[in-house]
Amino acid sequence: MKTLIAILCLTVSGVLNAAPRIEGLSDLRALERKVKAVVKDQTDATISLVSPKSGSSGSGVIVSADGLILTAAHVTAGSKEMTVIFPDGRQERARVLGANDTRDASMAQLIGAGPWPFAEIGNSDELVVGDFVVAMGHPKGFDPTRRPPVRFGRIMTRGEYGFITTDCTVVGGDSGGPLFDLEGRVVGIHSHIAKDRKINNHAGISGYVRSWDKMRKGDVWGRLGGIDRDEKRPVLGLVLSNENSVMSAVKVPEKSPAYAAGLRVGDEILKVADEIVDDPTEMRDVLIDLEPGDEVGVAVKRGEERKTFIVKLAALGDVYELYLR
Amino acid sequence: MKTIVSKFIILIPLLVSGQMRVPQIPKEDLALTNKQAIEVFGALRGVSHRCKEVVFPIYSFRSRIAYGVSIGKDRVIAKASEVAIQANLVTLSKENESVRLTVIGAYPDHDLVVLSAPGLGAPAAQWSDSSTLEEGSFLTAIRPDGEAQAMGVLSVHERSLRQADQGYLGVAIDPREMGEGVVISSVFKDSAAHKAGIIPGDTLLKIKGKIVKGYYEVSTMLRRLKVGEKPELLIVREGKPRLVFPTLQPRRVQQYESRRMKSMDGEQNRVRSNFSNVLQSDMELGVEDTGLPVADLEGRIVGVVIARAGRISTLILPGEEMRELLSKEPQEIDMKPNRPIRRTRRSAEPMSNDDREELLRKLQDLLEGG
């Protein structure tokens, strides 16, 4: 946890120069023009989603001409099909695809040929504290008297599992709706809020990108609210130490998938699934896009040698006993 | 009154802290975003300082309860339901002298009250059309000291919040209805549908020539039509098509909101619905911030804050509406001094129609001098 905080601080100090500056009215006017353009271009892709079974309602955003919808996992949970309502009142149907519950991310597919109005996907990894963003959605459900209300705000901080905190106020019914950058690209999906109006949390779009194929295929995995104590959490099956920014294996039980793949005590972990990992939290966050049974490449440094092993992930509950011996 | 909506309960999910770990904003990030906010508000000063001459604080027993906008002739206009029923009303002139305020008139439909402020000497606010705004336009609410109290965007353009302005057919449709044409499950007595001869079991296939594909389409199309309008409906009964032309009635549908939803909205003004023409903004204001003038980035006063109405919503009466309203005389109020006045209790509960009627009745009492 301490390492995580240290990393956040680093991000912030590295960012100080990058946060957008507002030095006068002309900067505000330029910003306003961009916000208005985002609203004009992206409103039609911001849809309301209603569960035909429970009547519960959320929002979503269409991200391809053939009708792929991104929304929140807790909006589609328990539904096979959703009613889609466009801002103009037009009604269509969508089939629910997969979800990564840890990221509160899910997908649905519009039924029908299209082409549908859609928004481009952005990159939430590039966002920095202070970046301006625009939120849309259907707060408190679809309302025929208005289009999706526009909310404007900034990135306030970054959270775990790729979540982004902004001061764009969202409320029930907005869940699953899009957060746009100033170029009108989707960078987040509304997920949850605190009473503090400055804390509105959005699932970062990069998490969707990492889980894309699995979600599209219809896989549902992970756990809402975090997976630390989830016995189904995918793990390599080794115990790590993290000293002086060096993460290495201190215990690799003989019956673990890591041992079977060839990993040994003393190996320094460099990359998992092609992503550089500096500490156990980062490794966990890479693994949340995968499931037990999936195979993942682990790049290590052993002495002066660099090696890559293919590990078949196990569920935490299945290997936990090995750690204790 | 049983209606379409009351047939099923709308559940609206959004996770509230508790289910998810919600991050605190780290100090470094707060420092950075605060610095940025100071920059933004600094940039807004070019706009806000131009408008400060027309806005005044309103105090009751030394606590500020609202703001008022000068309309000339030593008069100020403010939110009636927050101000008119309070006693000991005072404002501060630009020279920092206290000026006693007296209620002299009201525009009850707009929840506005006209206050006399002898010797205030302020110019009248120049109201601009809100039609120049687009959704996403920047807005700022300006305080008497010329600083921005809040900055936000136009979230929703002008619209009526009055249900009675929306067309109502008077039928129930299963919200799960999908596909071309929807089956009418029941017809309310004496409704537009009833009078036009629509009966339960009929399939509504087209509205004004357009095929309808479900409950939400039907509801949206009807609610966007005007009361009194006679849309052409194509009904299919026992396989035979027939055209009917029901005269749409005003909509009167109860809406429900869960306690949890309300708890997320924070404190709201008691009167915050039923306005016939309002703008909606995401400006973060409090219940005591009504009456602030709202300007765009050109420094035009495009409206006045009339209500805080939830976590995401501040309601604004548009400039052109204000201009038209103020061209008419307010309803006169003859205030009797020392009349015992019940202080209103602010609550997060939404105002029911009964509450509103009671409040308007109280206001009416004031209007009629008790």
Side-chain angles (χ1 to χ4, degrees), chain A residues 242-261:
Chain A
N242 186 30
E243 277 172 33
N244 305 324
S245 305
V246 174
M247 180 166 63
S248 52
V250 290
K251 193 169 181 181
V252 188
E254 278 184 27
K255 285 179 182 164
S256 74
Y259 189 90

Side-chain angles (χ1 to χ4, degrees), chain A residues 10-274:
Chain A
L10 276 180
T11 324
V12 170
S13 54
V15 148
L16 272 168
N17 302 324
R21 303 288 307 266
I22 296 295
E23 283 163 350
L25 212 46
S26 57
D27 287 349
L28 275 183
R29 289 199 177 112
L31 194 58
E32 182 190 43
R33 274 195 296 277
K34 285 195 161 184
V35 171
K36 287 200 281 197
V38 172
V39 174
K40 201 162 165 251
D41 296 343
Q42 311 307 340
T43 294
D44 291 346
T46 305
I47 51 169
S48 176
L49 290 169
V50 183
S51 158
K53 277 196 177 157
S54 67
S56 91
S57 102
S59 302
V61 59
I62 307 170
V63 293
S64 70
D66 64 359
L68 187 69
I69 295 166
L70 303 187
T71 181
H74 74 273
V75 167
T76 51
S79 297
K80 287 195 170 120
E81 203 176 282
M82 300 292 280
T83 301
V84 179
I85 313 163
F86 285 79
D88 64 1
R90 188 160 51 115
Q91 182 173 348
E92 299 287 347
R93 289 183 303 156
R95 191 163 45 86
V96 174
L97 304 174
N100 182 349
D101 285 336
T102 314
R103 294 193 185 277
D104 198 13
S106 76
M107 275 183 184
Q109 175 64 49
L110 272 158
I111 298 166
W116 308 98
F118 71 97
E120 301 279 344
I121 296 276
N123 182 350
S124 56
D125 291 339
E126 286 175 2
L127 295 173
V128 298
V129 172
D131 272 349
F132 292 107
V133 279
V134 178
M136 288 205 264
H138 293 267
K140 306 197 177 178
F142 179 75
D143 181 344
T145 70
R146 55 146 168 81
R147 292 186 293 182
V150 184
R151 271 71 45 87
F152 173 69
R154 309 163 288 161
I155 309 287
M156 299 299 288
T157 190
R158 311 283 307 250
E160 281 189 288
Y161 307 120
F163 281 101
I164 307 162
T165 304
T166 75
D167 62 354
C168 289
T169 48
V170 296
V171 77
D174 273 318
S175 283
L179 183 74
F180 296 105
D181 65 14
L182 291 180
E183 309 307 318
R185 295 172 299 214
V186 183
V187 290
I189 297 291
H190 314 321
S191 173
H192 56 291
I193 57 175
K195 276 214 166 158
D196 182 344
R197 287 178 283 191
K198 288 205 167 9
I199 299 182
N200 303 273
N201 294 305
H202 319 263
I205 204 68
S206 303
Y208 284 75
V209 173
R210 293 196 182 98
S211 308
W212 200 268
D213 293 337
K214 279 168 77 76
M215 279 205 282
R216 202 154 185 175
K217 220 168 65 193
D219 285 8
V220 177
W221 75 103
R223 196 167 87 162
L224 214 53
I227 54 165
D228 282 353
R229 282 173 296 279
D230 185 3
E231 59 181 52
K232 289 186 201 132
R233 168 155 78 97
V235 293
L236 299 172
L238 43 69
V239 181
L240 294 164
S241 82
N242 186 30
E243 277 172 33
N244 305 324
S245 305
V246 174
M247 180 166 63
S248 52
V250 290
K251 193 169 181 181
V252 188
E254 278 184 27
K255 285 179 182 164
S256 74
Y259 189 90
L263 284 157
R264 293 296 179 265
V265 170
D267 285 352
E268 184 188 336
I269 313 288
L270 303 173
K271 282 183 177 181
V272 174
D274 274 339

Side-chain angles (χ1 to χ4, degrees), chain B residues 24 38 42 51 62 84-85 90 94 104 114 117 132 168 200 224 284 292 322 350 357 360:
Chain B
Q24 297 288 314
I38 290 167
C51 308
R62 294 189 179 174
I85 355 183
V90 167
K94 293 298 170 192
I104 53 169
V114 180
T132 55
Y168 186 56
R224 287 180 178 174
E284 215 184 298
L292 286 172
M322 292 301 295
E357 261 161 41
L360 287 176

Side-chain angles (χ1 to χ4, degrees), chain B residues 11-22:
Chain B
L11 300 162
I12 295 171
L14 187 124
L15 301 170
V16 187
S17 48
Q19 277 177 277
M20 293 284 286
R21 254 176 300 168
V22 173

